[in-house]
Amino acid sequence: MPPHTPHTPTQTSTASSSTPGPLARHHFLLRRLHSLSGIMPVGIFVIFHLFTNMQMVFPGKFQHEVAFIHSMPALLFIEIFGLWLPIGFHALLGIGYMMNWVPNTISYSYRDNWRYTMQRITAWIALVFIFAHVATLRWRLNLWGWHTPFYLDAVNHATGEVIARGDDGEPLALAHASTAMALQSSYAVLAFYIIGVYGVVYHWANGLWTAAISWGLTVSVQAQKRWGGVCAVLGISLGLFSAAAIYGAMSYEPTAQEQAAIAQLAGTDEPNIEVDHPEDHETKSPEDAGTGVSSGH
Amino acid sequence: MIKSNKPKTLTFKIKRQDDPKSEPYWQAFDMPYRPSLNIISCLQYIAGHATTTGGKDVAPVVWECSCLEEVCGSCTMVINGRARQSCSALVDEILDETGDTIITLEPMSKFPVVRDLWVDRSRMFENLKKVKGWVPIDGTHKLGEGPQESPEQQDMRYALSRCMTCGCCLEACPQFTIDNEFIGAQAISQARYFNEHETGATLKDERLDALSEVGGVSDCGNAQNCVKVCPKDIPLTESIAATGRQLTVHHIKKFFTGK
C-alpha cells in the first residue's frame, strides 16, 4: 500500500460504501446465532425458570430450588455469559431486524400472518418485561416507585448480617414471601407480569417452531404441522407452569416477621437507588417501604 | 353460475399515479355490468370511456397485461386489497364473495409504480440474476445427454417451474418492503428449482452464498403469506425451508473445511 494521507473525505466515503460492514459480512452467521441464542441458552433457561416458579404451589419447594440455584458455583459467570449476554445479543439484533417489516394482517388475515405479527409484538413485550423484571427483582432498582426486590433469605449479603431467623434457627426463608409481596404489591404489577410472562412464553414457543424452518429441520408442510404440535404442547405447559406460579405467589400470605425482614432488607437497597424521584427520598424509611409493598392487597 | 340478482352498474375505485415521482390519487369509474366480466375487460371498458363518476374526462387508466390466461403474471395488481392477476379475477366471483359493487384496484405496493396500475417488477429479474436462476449449458463442448430424473423429482421440480414471476408472494410478504434488500420467496424458490437440477447444481454453492447475504433466506420471517397467495400453488414455504436446510449444511461444511 502506498503511503497516503488519512481522513480525506473521498477516501472515507469510498471505504464505507465499497466494503460491507461486519454486520453485513457475517449476516448469515449472526442470523443463525440470533435464532440459536433464543433457543439455547435463553429458551432453555425460561423452561427451568418457569418450572422453578411453578413450585410455589408446593409449600417449601420453591425456597429449596432457589437456594440450590444460589448455591451453584460461579453463579455470576453463569449469569453474565449464560443469560445477560445471550439475552442482550438476541434483543439487540432482534431490534435491528424488526426495523424492516410492514404488518399486513388487515389485507392478509391468515392465522400464520397473525402468528408472525404476534411474534414481533411479543418481542417488544418481552424486551420491556425482562428488563423491568430483572431491574426490579434482581438489581433491586426502584423504578418510579416500583420497588419489588427479591430476597432468598433474611441475610444482608453485603454485610453478612442475619436480619431474622426462622423457627429452626436458620436465616428466615424469604424466596416465596418476597415473590408474593412483589406480585401482590399492586394490580398493575400483577397485570404486567401476566402480560409479560405469557408474551415471553408465546415468543419462545413460536420462535422454536419457526427456528425449525429456518434451520431446515422441518421442510414439508406435514413436518411443520407435527413440530407445531410439539411447540404448542411446550407453550401450553409453560403457560400452565406460569399460571401455577402466579397462583402460588398470589395465594401466599407473608407473615408479619417476613414482611418486616423484607422491609428492612429493602431499606438497605436504598443507597443504591438512582432511578428514584429525589423528593421520595426524604419520606422513605424501611417502615414506609414495608407498608408500601404490602398495601396493595 | 349466473345468478339473477346481479347489479346494473359496477364502480371501480382506482389508485392512479401519473409518473414514478408524482403522488398517487384515487378516481372512481362506473361501468354497466355484463355477465362473465374479468377485471381486464372492465379496464378495457374504462380505457374506452375515460370519464370519472364525477363526469370529468381524464387520461385512460394504464395497466399491463399480456397472456390473459394467468401464465405471464404481468397483469398482477391489488384487487380489493389482495394481490392477484386481473385476467383471472372474475367479476361474478368477486361480487359473490364481497356482495359489493364497488371494486378497488391498486398497483402492487412493493414495486415502483411506472404509471397507474403498471409497476416496474425488474427487482425480481435482478434477484433471479443474483441467485443464478438458470442451468449453465452454454459452452463449446458437447455436454451429452441430460440427466435422468425420477418421477418424484420431476413432480417436485414441475411444481417449482410453474413460477411466472408475477410478484404476488412478494406483495403479500410483510418482510419484503419496497426499499429493503429481502430477496423474497420467488427467487428463493427458483434457486431451489435450479439447485435440484443435476446440471444446475453445479452453481449450487454460488447460489447458496448469494442467499446467505443481507436480504437472503435468513431474512424470512415465516409469515407464510407467500404460499397462500401464490396463484400457481407453488410450495414456497417448503422451498424456503429446503433452502434453509441446504444453507445449514453448506455453512457447516464451510466452517469445517475452512473455505
Side-chain angles (χ1 to χ4, degrees):
Chain A
M1 283 276 284
H4 61 274
T5 43
H7 306 307
T8 57
T10 34
Q11 277 178 342
T12 38
S13 66
T14 40
S16 60
S17 62
S18 58
T19 43
L23 285 177
R25 266 187 288 125
H26 303 291
H27 181 73
F28 179 80
L29 178 67
L30 287 170
R31 277 280 192 178
R32 285 292 163 94
L33 286 178
H34 180 250
S35 171
L36 184 67
S37 62
I39 295 168
M40 195 183 70
V42 180
I44 301 293
F45 168 75
V46 168
I47 293 179
F48 283 108
H49 188 344
L50 291 176
F51 181 74
T52 305
N53 289 7
M54 176 269 287
Q55 301 187 33
M56 276 189 277
V57 288
F58 307 110
K61 294 286 180 204
F62 181 59
Q63 180 72 28
H64 179 262
E65 285 293 305
V66 179
F68 163 71
I69 292 165
H70 281 241
S71 73
M72 281 162 75
L75 193 59
L76 190 64
F77 180 86
I78 294 171
E79 253 188 314
I80 291 172
F81 291 98
L83 291 177
W84 293 350
L85 284 180
I87 290 176
F89 173 82
H90 191 83
L92 274 180
L93 260 73
I95 291 169
Y97 297 152
M98 276 194 294
M99 295 298 149
N100 220 338
W101 66 291
V102 229
N104 60 5
T105 43
I106 292 171
S107 296
Y108 305 98
S109 57
Y110 304 114
R111 207 184 64 174
D112 280 322
N113 200 18
W114 275 107
R115 182 187 49 62
Y116 157 91
T117 307
M118 281 300 292
Q119 184 73 355
R120 274 132 194 86
I121 293 169
T122 55
W124 289 115
I125 292 174
L127 186 71
V128 173
F129 170 70
I130 292 171
F131 173 77
H133 170 61
V134 173
T136 53
L137 264 76
R138 173 66 182 81
W139 299 333
R140 293 169 185 168
L141 294 179
N142 184 334
L143 297 177
W144 304 284
W146 172 14
H147 190 213
T148 56
F150 175 84
Y151 300 103
L152 168 68
D153 48 26
V155 177
N156 183 338
H157 286 274
T159 61
E161 180 199 354
V162 178
I163 284 163
R165 289 184 185 279
D167 298 335
D168 52 0
E170 294 292 311
L172 188 66
L174 290 179
H176 199 160
S178 58
T179 310
M181 285 174 70
L183 252 72
Q184 292 171 15
S185 63
S186 83
Y187 285 117
V189 170
L190 176 66
F192 183 75
Y193 265 82
I194 291 173
I195 294 168
V197 168
Y198 282 98
V200 166
V201 167
Y202 177 89
H203 193 77
W204 164 216
N206 184 58
L208 189 64
W209 186 74
T210 55
I213 301 172
S214 302
W215 288 78
L217 285 173
T218 52
V219 171
S220 69
V221 172
Q222 191 70 41
Q224 290 176 13
K225 270 200 187 127
R226 279 194 214 114
W227 183 241
V230 174
C231 295
V233 168
L234 176 87
I236 290 165
S237 306
L238 292 181
L240 292 174
F241 286 0
S242 309
I246 292 165
Y247 173 78
M250 292 306 288
S251 60
Y252 186 82
E253 286 176 31
T255 64
Q257 191 195 16
E258 286 167 343
Q259 290 191 31
I262 288 166
Q264 200 179 337
L265 283 166
T268 63
D269 292 338
E270 204 107 36
N272 300 323
I273 295 164
E274 304 290 346
V275 204
D276 201 1
H277 294 298
E279 63 266 24
D280 293 348
H281 275 288
E282 294 159 26
T283 54
K284 214 155 227 176
S285 68
E287 285 77 14
D288 287 335
T291 48
V293 164
S294 55
S295 61
H297 286 217
Chain B
M1 209 188 288
I2 298 166
K3 290 188 182 172
S4 56
N5 57 345
K6 288 300 179 194
K8 285 207 161 62
T9 312
L10 299 170
T11 304
F12 283 89
K13 285 171 73 179
I14 300 176
K15 193 180 185 185
R16 305 194 60 179
Q17 187 172 327
D18 294 340
D19 61 71
K21 288 197 177 115
S22 64
E23 286 297 308
Y25 57 94
W26 288 84
Q27 277 179 347
F29 299 88
D30 282 345
M31 66 167 283
Y33 168 82
R34 281 186 283 122
S36 306
L37 285 167
N38 66 0
I39 296 295
I40 292 284
S41 52
C42 296
L43 282 168
Q44 283 170 336
Y45 181 92
I46 290 166
H49 306 76
T51 307
T52 64
T53 47
K56 194 177 153 200
D57 289 336
V58 292
V61 176
V62 175
W63 79 97
E64 202 180 21
C65 68
S66 178
C67 75
L68 303 181
E69 53 181 2
E70 202 183 82
V71 287
C72 79
S74 63
C75 69
T76 307
M77 58 184 70
V78 178
I79 301 168
N80 281 341
R82 295 169 56 89
R84 57 188 296 189
Q85 280 72 54
S86 40
C87 64
S88 56
L90 306 180
V91 169
D92 287 326
E93 285 181 8
I94 292 172
L95 291 176
D96 284 345
E97 276 165 31
T98 64
D100 192 351
T101 56
I102 300 172
I103 297 170
T104 63
L105 304 179
E106 297 164 73
M108 282 197 282
S109 63
K110 305 291 176 75
F111 301 96
V113 172
V114 179
R115 185 168 177 179
D116 294 339
L117 302 171
W118 171 23
V119 295
D120 177 0
R121 296 178 299 145
S122 52
R123 179 173 167 187
M124 284 192 283
F125 186 57
E126 293 306 316
N127 286 340
L128 283 179
K129 286 198 271 183
K130 239 186 238 174
V131 299
K132 300 189 194 299
W134 57 79
V135 175
I137 50 167
D138 291 342
T140 53
H141 57 290
K142 195 176 177 220
L143 291 169
E145 286 178 13
Q148 290 214 328
E149 280 188 274
S150 68
E152 292 78 17
Q153 181 78 355
Q154 283 171 22
D155 281 350
M156 191 275 279
R157 291 208 323 118
Y158 182 71
L160 304 182
S161 76
R162 290 189 301 233
C163 180
M164 56 186 179
T165 326
C166 67
C168 283
C169 57
L170 306 178
E171 177 65 18
C173 173
Q175 289 286 110
F176 187 97
T177 67
I178 191 161
D179 52 6
N180 72 0
E181 284 167 297
F182 184 40
I183 201 163
Q186 164 254 346
I188 295 169
S189 191
Q190 287 301 294
R192 180 195 183 201
Y193 175 54
F194 289 107
N195 279 348
E196 293 291 336
H197 186 278
E198 204 170 303
T199 315
T202 50
L203 296 175
K204 189 173 175 180
D205 284 350
E206 289 167 61
R207 289 193 194 101
L208 293 179
D209 282 336
L211 288 170
S212 307
E213 288 171 8
V214 176
V217 180
S218 58
D219 288 25
C220 169
N222 297 300
Q224 303 201 331
N225 289 351
C226 52
V227 73
K228 299 186 182 85
V229 299
C230 178
K232 294 287 151 192
D233 295 325
I234 301 170
L236 294 167
T237 47
E238 294 192 0
S239 284
I240 290 167
T243 312
R245 177 178 285 192
Q246 290 176 359
L247 281 172
T248 303
V249 174
H250 178 67
H251 283 276
I252 289 174
K253 266 188 193 164
K254 273 177 88 162
F255 183 84
F256 284 109
T257 56
K259 278 179 189 162

